[in-house]
Amino acid sequence: MASRPKLLSLALQGGGSHGAYTWGVLDALLEDGRLTPGAITATSAGAMNAAALAHGWLDDGADGARASLEAFWQGVAHHSAAFRPLVPGGAFLRMVPFLDALSRLTSPYDLNPFNADPLRDILQAQIDFERLRAHGDIRLFITATCVTTGRAEVFSGERVTLDAVLASACLPFLRQAVEIDGEPYWDGGFTGNPALWPLFYADTPGDLLIVHINPLNRPGTPKSADDIMNRVNEITFNASLMAELRAVAFVKRLIEDDLLVESEKKRLRNVRMHAIRADEALSGFSAASKYDTSWTFLTRLRDAGRQAAKDWLESCHAAIGRRSSIDVRGDYLGR
C-alpha cells in the first residue's frame, strides 16, 4: 500500500518571469506525489504561483494545481505584448536597461494614468479568490510592503484577495501602488522575499522548503552598468530573507544547545529547513530577462526548475519529517 504524502510548507521568492523556474519546481513536486503543500508563504511572482497552485488544488488536487499553474503562465505569455508594449520581444530586452533608467525619471502615475495592469486581468480571469478563501485547504501567506510604514504586511486567511497578490508584485517604478483598506502597498520583496516568520508562529507543517530564484552567490565583480544594477537588485531582494535566516540559525542553535527555559521551548519551533537554489541555473541570465515573458523562455525556466526539483527529491526526500537537509548557518551565513 502506498504511503501517505508528507506535508511540508513552501517559501516562494519573487523575481519577475524567473518565477517560471518556481513553476517547474512545483510542477515536479506535484507530479511526484510524495509531498503535499500544507502552507505557502510567497512574494511577487511567488505569490502568483501560490495562488494558482492553491486554486487548482480545489478542483483536482495535485493534477488541478499543475494545470492551474500552466494556465497562469500561458496567460502571461499570451499577454506578452502588454508586458512589452510597442517594442518587439528581442529589441525590448535590449532596451530594458534604458527603460529601467527612464523609469527612475518618470512615474507610473504619469505614464499609466488609467492604471492598466495585465496581471490583474490574468488573475481575475483564472482565479476565484472568494472560493479560494472559503474552501482553500492550503494556507497562504502573501507578503507586501506597506508604503507608509515601510513594514512587511502578510495577508492570510480572509485577507488573501486579488489586490493582496497584486500588491505583493507591485514594483513602484512600474506600477501604481495597490490600495487595500486605505493603505498603499508595494512589492513584498523589499521587506520579505518571502517572509518566513508566519510559518514559525502558525500551525503549519514542520518542514519548510525555500525555493530561491534570486542567486545568493555570484562570483566576480560586476563592472557594466547593467551587471551592477542586476547584482544590486539581487542583494536587495535577498536581504530580508537572509536576515530571517540569520534569526532562524540563532533560534535553532539555542534549541539544539538546550539554552532555553521551559516557557521559551514551548513557544519556539525547531522547523526542519530545506532549500532548492537557482544560483547555477539563473546566474547566467541578466536582469532584463526578468521581463522576458515569451513562452519559449518561460518553458526553458520551467524545465530547469523541474530538473532541480527531481534532483532535490532524489537527494533530500528521505530527510522530510526527520531532519533539515541544509545547514542554515553554514550554507547561508558562513562564519
Side-chain angles (χ1 to χ4, degrees):
M1 187 174 69
S3 59
R4 291 183 60 186
K6 300 176 182 178
L7 284 171
L8 85 164
S9 297
L10 296 168
L12 311 180
Q13 278 199 313
S17 65
H18 289 189
Y21 178 90
T22 301
W23 163 32
V25 169
L26 298 175
D27 188 67
L29 294 178
L30 293 164
E31 180 184 51
D32 181 80
R34 288 178 290 169
L35 300 172
T36 296
I40 306 175
T41 182
T43 295
S44 198
M48 309 285 171
N49 279 319
L53 185 157
H55 185 263
W57 192 273
L58 293 175
D59 292 325
D60 192 19
D63 289 338
R66 294 180 68 197
S68 182
L69 282 163
E70 180 165 359
F72 169 75
W73 287 101
Q74 283 181 336
V76 170
H78 180 72
H79 285 74
S80 285
F83 291 102
R84 304 181 302 199
L86 306 179
V87 185
F92 175 84
L93 295 180
R94 290 192 295 272
M95 290 178 63
V96 164
F98 167 76
L99 295 174
D100 185 66
L102 179 63
S103 72
R104 303 297 196 271
L105 303 175
T106 58
S107 163
Y109 293 86
D110 298 324
L111 295 179
N112 185 13
F114 298 105
N115 203 21
D117 188 348
L119 282 176
R120 178 179 290 275
D121 297 336
I122 295 168
L123 291 171
Q124 211 159 27
Q126 297 188 9
I127 299 176
D128 184 343
F129 282 90
E130 185 175 348
R131 178 171 174 243
L132 184 60
R133 291 192 298 273
H135 305 290
D137 295 326
I138 300 171
R139 299 187 66 177
L140 300 182
F141 303 89
I142 306 300
T143 303
T145 301
C146 181
V147 178
T148 57
T149 66
R151 293 196 293 264
E153 182 78 17
V154 177
F155 296 87
S156 61
E158 289 297 314
R159 301 183 72 207
V160 176
T161 62
L162 171 62
D163 280 342
V165 175
L166 289 171
S168 183
C170 180
L171 290 171
F173 294 114
L174 300 178
R175 293 186 174 88
Q176 296 183 23
V178 178
E179 287 205 8
I180 301 174
D181 297 330
E183 286 284 358
Y185 291 93
W186 284 339
D187 196 291
F190 296 116
T191 51
N193 193 18
L196 302 184
W197 59 264
L199 301 179
F200 288 82
Y201 289 98
D203 183 17
T204 57
D207 288 88
L208 169 58
L209 170 61
I210 305 172
V211 182
H212 298 269
I213 58 174
N214 293 297
L216 292 167
N217 299 321
R218 187 182 286 275
T221 303
K223 295 182 179 178
S224 72
D226 189 32
D227 288 344
I228 291 170
M229 183 55 67
N230 186 31
R231 190 56 183 152
V232 167
N233 286 337
E234 288 174 349
I235 293 171
T236 299
F237 283 96
N238 277 326
S240 58
L241 177 60
M242 294 299 289
E244 285 204 76
L245 288 171
R246 192 177 301 279
V248 169
F250 177 69
V251 171
K252 289 178 76 68
R253 184 171 183 177
L254 291 178
I255 293 173
E256 291 163 1
D257 292 349
D258 198 23
L259 297 175
L260 299 172
V261 299
E262 287 301 317
S263 60
E264 291 175 329
K265 288 180 182 179
K266 293 178 181 178
R267 289 192 303 110
L268 298 176
R269 300 173 64 198
N270 193 7
V271 174
R272 295 174 291 274
M273 302 291 291
H274 314 276
I276 294 176
R277 288 172 57 170
D279 291 46
E280 184 175 344
L282 297 183
S283 61
F285 295 111
S286 68
S289 66
K290 293 182 179 181
Y291 298 93
D292 187 348
T293 54
S294 65
W295 186 242
T296 300
F297 183 65
L298 296 178
T299 53
R300 178 182 176 184
L301 294 184
R302 176 204 62 191
D303 293 346
R306 279 182 54 82
Q307 187 59 53
K310 289 179 180 180
D311 293 342
W312 179 82
L313 283 166
E314 184 174 345
S315 60
C316 299
H317 177 267
I320 301 295
R322 299 179 180 178
R323 56 179 174 79
S324 294
S325 59
I326 59 172
D327 172 10
V328 177
R329 181 174 295 276
D331 292 347
Y332 288 91
L333 308 179
R335 289 179 296 176

